[in-house]
Amino acid sequence: MAYVDGFVIPVPEEKLEAYKKMSRECGAVWKEFGALEFRETVADDAPPGKLTSFPQSVMLEEGERVVFSWIVYESRAKRDEINDRVMKDPRVAAYMDPANMPFDAKRMIYGGFEMMIDL
């Protein structure tokens, strides 16, 4: 069954274009190394909640947008293999430096998930 890495990220509105550029470049590398899907979405209907919400999860600040992203792999083993290769690739290396990220990586939420249902 497939395996998914998921991310929720706060991106300043003025850095959305830089984020898209980074995502396109890095996504191409993930796909080249075998990721089945590479998706990036930006919230347009994710209101703050009373107890929990996407904005609260990343401590969203004024002038920022929530980005919800996922990468689909054939399996956990394939994901680990692909991510190892991606992180060593020079096309991605510069973006892994927090100083070059167009978002606050300390507020990024991420994790790996086993596919439970795939309709």
Side-chain angles (χ1 to χ4, degrees), residues 27-94:
V29 176
W30 256 278
K31 294 282 292 192
E32 177 184 324
F33 290 149
L36 303 176
E37 294 181 32
F38 186 95
R39 304 283 189 237
E40 297 274 5
T41 63
V42 63
D44 75 340
D45 186 20
K50 292 186 181 190
L51 298 176
T52 62
S53 68
F54 278 104
Q56 287 170 297
S57 71
V58 294
M59 297 182 290
L60 195 70
E61 297 175 0
E62 190 168 330
E64 292 180 330
R65 301 280 300 273
V66 174
V67 172
F68 173 52
S69 311
W70 64 95
I71 307 170
V72 179
Y73 308 90
E74 180 181 303
S75 65
R76 166 79 188 263
K78 202 71 169 150
R79 173 263 214 163
D80 292 346
E81 172 191 320
I82 291 166
N83 280 347
D84 184 55
R85 291 179 67 194
V86 167
M87 292 305 147
K88 292 175 182 171
D89 191 285
R91 296 170 290 177
V92 173

Side-chain angles (χ1 to χ4, degrees), residues 2-4 8 21 40 61 71 83 89 106-107 118:
Y3 195 82
V4 178
V8 181
K21 179 183 183 299
E40 297 274 5
E61 297 175 0
I71 307 170
N83 280 347
D89 191 285
K106 293 184 298 289
R107 292 186 287 139
D118 187 10

